[in-house]
Amino acid sequence: MITLMWAMDVNKVIGNGQRLPWYYKEDMHYFKTHAYHKKALMGYQTYVSMLKYFPSGKLPFSDIYIASRNQTEIKNATVINDVKKFLDNCDEDIIVIGGAQIYKIAFDYAEALRITYVLKPHFGDTYFPKYSLKAFKLVEYETYPELIFTHYERIKK
Ligand SMILES: NC(=O)c1ccc[n+]([C@@H]2O[C@H](COP(=O)([O-])OP(=O)(O)OC[C@H]3O[C@@H](n4cnc5c(N)ncnc54)[C@H](OP(=O)(O)O)[C@@H]3O)[C@@H](O)[C@H]2O)c1
């Protein structure tokens, strides 16, 4: 099952200067709970940005898939040169953790979404791509003063 997970502000901003534009301890906790120790797919830019938070280079996922057309080998990770082909043939439980370029390709494959809505605007340079929730139903949510954590599942046909 493919799950996409992201946090975005009211203008769909997700990143700034290759970092998250915000720090919310509840959001970090949510990310740890739902992404750590899972199989994670991320784009090369997100990988580089995560290294700032994990300078040892050891990311906290059980398996790490990094999308890149330019890299051939990355320590402790599997390089994915064609994301679409990878997802077409994927029968594992994978959490897709960004960034914008990878969300854009992976959205159509998602069976579940974990969206954190950040309820105020932040300055940023990277936006979540255009998407629709029409094919999804909200199954769980939790509200905080500045955040809403949501879990959607794809509606079965
Ligand atoms: N708010 C959130 O939840 C959240 C989550 C994650 C990231 N972010 C933010 O998002 C930003 C990064 O997003 P981004 O869109 O710039 O980059 P990204 O999606 O993380 O990575 C883009 C890279 O993925 C590779 N790629 C793209 N399409 C591919 C394909 N079809 N097959 C194989 N590889 C492919 C390319 O790597 P090569 O250039 O090496 O070929 C490309 O440069 C950062 O600011 C980060 O902090 C936010």
Side-chain angles (χ1 to χ4, degrees):
M1 181 165 98
I2 306 294
T3 301
L4 262 61
M5 183 170 188
W6 75 92
M8 66 183 172
D9 82 352
V10 288
N11 297 311
K12 300 195 172 64
V13 164
I14 63 164
N16 187 41
Q18 295 303 338
R19 280 179 176 269
L20 290 177
W22 46 72
Y23 173 79
Y24 294 105
K25 70 174 188 317
E26 296 89 351
D27 188 41
M28 287 316 294
H29 179 72
Y30 192 77
F31 186 71
K32 280 183 188 171
T33 304
H34 295 288
Y36 276 29
H37 313 301
K38 305 262 165 68
K39 297 179 179 185
L41 168 67
M42 71 198 83
Y44 188 67
Q45 302 308 329
T46 293
Y47 168 67
V48 169
S49 114
M50 285 205 87
L51 291 179
K52 293 173 193 154
Y53 301 93
F54 297 93
S56 72
K58 194 143 177 37
L59 304 188
F61 309 107
S62 65
D63 295 76
I64 301 166
Y65 296 102
I66 299 172
S68 171
R69 297 192 188 95
N70 294 313
Q71 308 295 320
T72 47
E73 231 174 84
I74 298 173
K75 206 175 160 204
N76 301 322
T78 303
V79 176
I80 305 298
N81 294 125
D82 184 336
V83 173
K84 206 169 170 334
K85 198 161 144 196
F86 172 74
L87 293 172
D88 278 336
N89 296 299
C90 181
D91 55 9
E92 302 171 89
D93 285 338
I94 300 248
I95 184 132
V96 180
I97 58 163
Q101 291 183 42
I102 303 310
Y103 290 135
K104 187 172 181 186
I105 302 166
F107 193 88
D108 288 344
Y109 294 84
E111 286 299 314
L113 308 173
R114 288 193 179 275
I115 310 175
T116 299
Y117 296 97
V118 175
L119 299 176
K120 65 174 202 180
H122 287 261
F123 185 78
D125 56 18
T126 311
Y127 292 78
F128 197 86
K130 197 165 183 281
Y131 70 101
S132 163
L133 292 176
K134 247 194 336 208
F136 292 87
K137 63 173 188 283
L138 181 65
V139 290
E140 202 182 354
Y141 71 93
E142 203 177 332
T143 54
Y144 285 81
E146 293 188 27
L147 303 170
I148 304 175
F149 296 107
T150 60
H151 181 196
Y152 296 83
E153 285 176 359
R154 189 176 285 279
I155 298 163
K156 298 210 173 15
K157 288 184 185 147

